[in-house]
Amino acid sequence: MSDRRRFVKLSLLTSAGLLAGKGLFAKSRTGFKPAVVKGKPVVIATWDFGKAANAEAWKILEKGGRALDAVEAGVKVPEADPTNQSVGLGGRPDRDGRVTLDACIMDENSKCGSVACLEHIVHAISVARAVMEKTPHVMLVGDGALQFALECGFKKQNLLTPKSEAEWKDWLKEHKYKPVKNIENVLPGGEKNHDTIGMVAMDTNGNMSGACTTSGLSYKMHGRVGDSPIIGAGLYVDNEVGAATSTGVGEEVIRIVGSHLVVELMRQGLDPEAACKAAVERIIARNPEASKEVQVGFLALNKKGEYGAYALQDGFSYAVRSGSVEDIYHSKFHYH
Ligand code: SD4
């Protein structure tokens, strides 16, 4: 997994070479500096699997469709993928063996919807959108979220795949059944045990939306909710300024209301990467020792179509799709 993430590719499409000559791209051999593409439409998403999600979102954006529809369609790709063990179907369960999903969505009018600790429904993001569009509320949790989803016609199904179930049973053998700080961050063998898809987009009309969906930290306590469904923490969109999303250990993100912070920093004039970096530094300043042990990554897009990311640790990647770029980049990070 980490090797794959270290794999950095900066293969811009053919026109990119010409554009680079004109200084439109900040081209870098390492790939650490993202190409700056001003313009719309554009969609960015967390991790390598964001690339396939962006491709789905792009089908809507390139036809002039709405960013809200694009981000929902985009994140449904990893939600439906049983091999992705951090989102939707096939997500790793909590300590009780229950797959509980967190998701939220936000549009250009600051309308938003969210579900937390939702079981048995693959497309948590679509339930979140239904909360936004069909109820007077922003957030539904647990049984109430499930009840609402079923009333809306979503299909109930078992989200625990045989692979995730077998791994959970193995995990139970070696781990004490109690919360231990940071045990959630790394699986036996050193593999990181969590990811999330956070996606933000700007459509041809210049409107921005975002979506974030996850099964959360693996083997979390039952009922634990992370940053991903919390508007302002895992996702924030301000159509005047920009949008941001996060991945990593949600508790750290919630403490600084991370995505909202990134957007506010962009409002004050920081570019997306600088805003993400400042948010990461806020986490470090709050608790320098704890910040060494966890991963958090932020990803942001501003109204000009510029994007950037920053993470606590090495390994965070993000995918970009625009009229001239379809690629995966390696985020800069603090701890070397
Ligand atoms: C959470 N932020 O539940 C999510 C998990 C995640 O990379 O993003 N992991 O805390």
Side-chain angles (χ1 to χ4, degrees), residues 194-196 214 216-217 224 226-228 247-250:
H194 56 80
D195 294 329
T196 284
T214 188
L217 298 187
R224 179 265 185 192
D227 58 322
S228 305
T247 183
V249 177

Side-chain angles (χ1 to χ4, degrees), residues 40-42 57-70 202-207:
K40 54 198 184 208
V42 56
W58 188 252
K59 290 181 192 166
I60 292 171
L61 292 173
E62 72 176 342
K63 286 190 209 129
R66 193 175 168 204
L68 181 71
D69 295 325
M202 181 162 59
D203 60 32
T204 45
N205 293 319
N207 286 325

Side-chain angles (χ1 to χ4, degrees), residues 1 14 17-18 24 43 92 106 123 127 139 147 177 186 209 224 233 254 266 286 290:
M1 180 80 81
T14 27
L18 294 170
L24 292 180
V43 57
R92 290 197 178 92
M106 190 164 188
H123 292 303
V127 184
M139 189 167 196
Q147 184 186 329
Y177 192 80
V186 181
S209 291
R224 179 265 185 192
I254 293 171
M266 292 196 290
R286 197 193 56 78

Side-chain angles (χ1 to χ4, degrees), residues 43-47 50-51 53-54 197-200 245 299 317-320:
V43 57
I44 60 177
T46 54
W47 303 112
K51 189 172 179 182
N54 283 351
I197 185 146
M199 173 181 282
V200 297
T245 188
L299 178 61
S317 62
Y318 62 99
V320 177

